[in-house]
Each structure stands twice: as structure tokens, then as C-alpha cells.
Amino acid sequence: MPADTLAPRPLQAALVSAKIVDAVLEAIAHGRLTAGTRLREEEIAGIFGASRAAVREALKALAERGVAVLQPNRGARVASPTEDEVTQTYAARALIEGAMAADLAQHITAADIRKLREHIGAQRRTNDSGERREHLRLMGDFHTLLATLHGNPVVTETLERLVARTSFMTALFPPQTQICAIDDHVAMVDALAKGDGALAQRLASQHMMDNRARLRAGATAPTADLRAALLP
């Protein structure tokens, strides 16, 4: 019997869709799923025992995150950012985060500094333990935490979207060196703690451009075995 005739109730369908999204993100973070790989509805439905409707919702959610591209009459693929797209995204972050850091330095509190330093501690722990996906998440989350402390919700929302895009790019095109230098984060927090807006701005902007320089977007061979990638 076709999977769609056995479609789960709305809550169950949402849970299945979330499971598929999580599996795709996990596979990308660990290098098992490469840029340009086809994400066939029928194949994914079979892998997870899901309805095609649930798979479509998962693919839609991935597309909204910029992780997948939905092509009419051609299905879905893992997105494949170009060098120009990577450069433009990091340049936007450098502009926004530099100005944000300069402003934040003027009103940051001791409690804020403690939060940032505690966060850096968590970054070190996940780096040392090799928890790649969690480490990726924390490295991006540090920047959204800065935006939250800054206090402008429009900046926070904009940065959250940009961080999600660059985190995806980092997962697709792993750098040869560390994902995002933790020592850079330490230096930025030290500058903020001193109230040195000019230094904080310079460090924040340079940090983004250094991160960009670590990545090399390019053509990769599509993943051949989707099941093995999603259910290792």
C-alpha cells in the first residue's frame, strides 16, 4: 500500500518531518551528504517509512533554511553555494557584526561578559571532545548571543539568518584549519569588557573575513548512497 495512504496524524507527520530535517543536517555536518546531492522524495520516504507529504514538508523546511534547493519538475537537491555567495554572505556579516560590536562595547555589563565567557568554555569543550555538529552550532550561537546582548531585535533576526547560512557553508566545505577560531572570540570579549568599541569592531570584522578565507567552495561529487548518509 502506498505510504501516502498510511499518512500519520498531523502531530506524527510533524515529528517525522523533523526527524528527516535533523538527519539531513546531521549528515551535512559530518560530511556524509555533499553539495548538489539529489534529495528524492520517494527514496527518503522509503528510508524513513514516511509519507511523501511528510517528506515534502521536511524538504520545504530545509529550503527555508537555505540548505536545500527545490526545483520545479526536478525535485530537491542539497544547496551548492558559489564562491561569490560565500564571500557576499561573510562580507554582510563583517559589516553588521563590526558595527554591532562597536555599539555593544558602550553598554555591555559584567553579567553579559560572564555569559560570553561561559559560552566560550562550552565551545572549547565541544571542540576538544570532537562533537562537530554541536561545536558548529555553538560557534554560530556565540554571534547570535552577541546580537541578543546588543538588544536590537531586527539586527538579531538578520544575524540569525546569516549565521545559519554560514554555518551551512562551513559544514559543506570544511576548512583545513579550525572552523572558527575560539581565540578570536576570546579577544573580542576582552575588547568588549574593556569598553574598547574601535578594537571590538576591528576584531569582529576581521574574524568574519578570516573565517571566509578558511573556506573553499567548489564542486563536490554527489553522495551516492543516500540511505547510508542519513542512517549511518
Side-chain angles (χ1 to χ4, degrees):
M1 186 177 295
D4 279 328
T5 64
L6 299 174
R9 293 187 295 274
L11 177 58
Q12 292 173 312
L15 291 173
V16 171
S17 294
K19 181 179 179 180
I20 294 168
V21 169
D22 190 66
V24 169
L25 295 177
E26 185 80 11
I28 291 171
H30 288 275
R32 299 191 303 269
L33 195 57
T34 56
T37 297
R38 287 280 303 276
L39 299 171
R40 299 177 179 85
E41 274 186 26
E42 185 173 3
E43 185 176 4
I44 295 173
I47 290 170
F48 289 93
S51 70
R52 294 185 67 169
V55 175
R56 282 192 291 272
E57 284 303 307
L59 294 175
K60 180 180 176 182
L62 290 165
E64 288 172 352
R65 295 183 183 214
V67 173
V69 176
L70 305 182
Q71 302 169 306
N73 303 318
R74 296 180 63 188
R77 293 179 182 272
V78 176
S80 184
T82 65
E83 286 280 358
D84 282 347
E85 289 170 337
V86 174
T87 296
Q88 290 161 8
T89 304
Y90 274 97
R93 284 193 61 181
L95 287 170
I96 293 170
E97 295 195 46
M100 181 183 74
D103 192 38
L104 178 58
Q106 307 311 310
H107 62 78
I108 197 163
T109 67
D112 294 339
I113 295 296
R114 282 195 299 274
K115 285 181 184 177
L116 291 168
R117 287 182 170 149
E118 288 170 1
H119 198 286
I120 289 171
Q123 294 168 30
R124 291 194 188 282
R125 287 192 294 275
T126 54
N127 183 59
D128 292 345
S129 63
E131 300 171 67
R132 178 172 169 76
R133 185 177 174 190
E134 179 63 8
H135 185 61
L136 263 177
R137 185 191 70 77
L138 286 172
M139 298 307 276
D141 187 58
F142 175 79
H143 296 271
T144 55
L145 175 57
L146 286 170
T148 299
L149 296 176
H150 177 261
N152 184 322
V154 177
V155 171
T156 301
E157 181 181 357
T158 302
L159 196 57
E160 283 175 346
R161 291 179 178 276
L162 290 172
V163 167
R165 291 179 68 176
T166 53
S167 294
F168 169 61
M169 292 167 178
T170 301
L172 274 183
F173 309 115
Q176 296 302 309
T177 55
Q178 192 178 39
I179 293 168
C180 178
I182 297 174
D183 288 345
D184 286 1
H185 290 178
V186 173
M188 289 164 58
V189 173
D190 288 346
L192 291 170
K194 295 174 184 175
D196 191 337
L199 178 59
Q201 180 172 17
R202 186 165 68 252
L203 291 171
S205 296
Q206 187 60 50
H207 177 56
M208 283 299 102
M209 301 321 295
D210 288 346
N211 284 352
R212 167 61 187 101
R214 293 184 180 98
L215 300 185
R216 288 291 179 269
T220 55
T223 300
D225 189 339
L226 192 59
R227 176 181 290 274
L230 297 179
L231 297 178

